[in-house]
Amino acid sequence: MMIKMHIDSFLYRYEGAVVKKLVITVPDYSKDLYKVLGSLHKELDIDKSCIDSEQARALNLRAACEQVTLLKNNGLLPIRDKGKTLAVVGALADDCLMDWYTGYWSYEKTILGGVREEFGGEVLYDSLWDTVAVKAPNGKYLCAYEDGSVRADADSPSGGALFELQDWGENWQNLFSVKYKRYVRLFDNGKIRLHNRRIFDWFTRETFNLFDYCGSTVIEEFLHHRRLYADKSGELGFAAQRGVSDDMRFTLETVSLGKDRAAEIAKKADAVIYCVGNCPSQVAKECYDRKTLALNIQPGMTQALCRANENTVLTIVSSYPYSVVKESEAAAAVICTSHAGAELGRAVAMTLSGKNNPSGRTPLTWYKSELDLPDIMDYDIETSGATYMYFKGEPLYPFGHGLSYSSFSYADLELAQGERGIRGEVLVKNVSDTEGDEVVQIYFTVRDSDVSRPIKKLCAFERVHLKA
């Protein structure tokens, strides 16, 4: 089958480099279309040397920096003194998680690594997850071994028998080996063993649901809800039976509480960078909805850190907003970032130091509570009063919100009717001693309209760089 295509080729300049661009016009869709498009690298005259190049890494860093959004700042940021002792703590302090449309990277810089590189000096770290031991019905403890096996045969809660209990909210929980830095996973043969350092599957077989049962704990795998059991020899397996038998009754013993360690580490630091957010492969994703907007990962940890150290920066690494009302009140500053890929840590660290002047804007409304939202099946945003266009309440952080280390002024707005719409011009000045980007946003509204219209609607925006 022949596919008729028209290809226009032209050169253009992008940031000092001459780039060849192809504009492809395909008159009809075909099963063979992807085969044709897949061969276009020959037309583009590119090869694998362009992958993971210095230019690509620089573009990744730029994208990561531009999307960092400063939600709140009481003056703590930027942190200019690089001789301070910093604590970089929390569930996402030393991780670069992959979201569903992330490419695989050859390198990565976590927030912990980025801060150490940017600031030098002493940087303290703790994941702040609770450390637990799991006592099996046979009286022994679950223990991980170097070959990846996991058995209930340890006499004491130490070494390979210690696990981080990672609770990502709504009872999606993981057991992470403290000694081997790998997750406990259920494999297709029904065995549980250690797997990778990172979780990245659609059906996350590292996810377990833990339920209290008459003073003990029942552990289920989340996909089919089969229950973990241990026989007298310490062998582990999963059963589909619903009645809780004695070989399914485990006991979780807390060895170390994250909140206790948080208070200790916060007191030792001049400033705390608390990194928390979501795991994109668990709890909320396609097919799975959140039941709450609350920050239910390490709940109350922000407040605990702030009580111990008022110079605490809440750094939310997330795919979506949270209703962080109490957390925002407690924290000296609040930063939001996407998972951002390999350059996440460098972008956040550069923002903390002021090398990157934050210019991101919230692309969604941050509500104070899910009580502000309509039913999850109600898609009529107009009648339900949802989104920034129709919401009449007071959001925590509105759509389009984002602070800067610079200050800008607006003046002399002029509007003129043209053939294709209205042209607007406004004079924007940087009135501070710090150069930075401002994202100019134009909204419109129609007052006293005879038909229902949005309260306001974004119709244009532009990022402009202004020197001090």
Side-chain angles (χ1 to χ4, degrees), residues 170-181:
E170 301 180 24
N171 204 17
W172 291 58
Q173 306 196 57
N174 317 132
L175 291 171
F176 183 76
S177 172
V178 173
K179 183 175 182 179
Y180 297 107
K181 307 300 181 187

Side-chain angles (χ1 to χ4, degrees), residues 24-129:
I24 307 154
T25 304
V26 184
D28 59 350
Y29 294 99
S30 165
K31 294 180 181 179
D32 297 324
L33 176 58
Y34 287 107
K35 295 180 181 179
V36 176
L37 296 179
S39 66
L40 285 176
H41 65 87
K42 297 177 181 178
E43 295 286 344
L44 288 166
D45 191 26
I46 58 176
D47 56 31
K48 290 183 178 179
S49 66
C50 71
I51 299 173
D52 201 22
S53 64
E54 289 302 314
Q55 293 89 341
R57 292 188 176 197
L59 185 61
N60 284 344
L61 178 58
R62 175 185 166 188
C65 285
E66 288 189 2
Q67 59 83 45
V68 174
T69 306
L70 181 60
L71 300 178
K72 174 189 174 181
N73 186 21
N74 71 354
L76 175 61
L77 300 181
I79 301 172
R80 301 292 190 187
D81 185 359
K82 295 193 175 184
K84 291 184 176 181
T85 297
L86 300 179
V88 180
V89 297
L92 296 179
D94 195 26
D95 234 332
C96 286
L97 297 183
M98 297 173 67
D99 216 324
W100 287 113
Y101 299 95
T102 309
Y104 287 89
W105 47 73
S106 63
Y107 71 102
E108 66 180 30
K109 187 67 68 173
T110 67
I111 297 177
L112 175 63
V115 169
R116 282 175 172 164
E117 180 182 275
E118 181 70 18
F119 288 90
E122 186 176 12
V123 179
L124 311 175
Y125 165 72
D126 194 308
S127 70
L128 301 185
W129 291 115

Side-chain angles (χ1 to χ4, degrees), residues 310-322:
E310 62 181 7
N311 295 323
T312 294
V313 181
L314 172 60
T315 304
I316 302 173
V317 186
S318 178
S319 310
Y320 37 69
Y322 288 100

Side-chain angles (χ1 to χ4, degrees), residues 392-444:
K392 295 181 180 179
E394 182 183 1
L396 177 62
Y397 297 115
F399 173 89
H401 172 71
L403 304 178
S404 170
Y405 299 147
S406 304
S407 298
F408 302 94
S409 69
Y410 286 71
D412 302 333
L413 174 64
E414 295 182 1
L415 301 175
Q417 181 70 51
E419 292 182 0
R420 300 180 61 185
I422 295 175
R423 177 179 176 83
E425 292 188 1
V426 63
L427 180 64
V428 184
K429 291 183 179 181
N430 185 343
V431 294
S432 68
D433 58 1
T434 303
E435 67 176 284
D437 287 1
E438 171 71 334
V439 179
V440 182
Q441 304 170 57
I442 303 295
Y443 296 81
F444 79 87

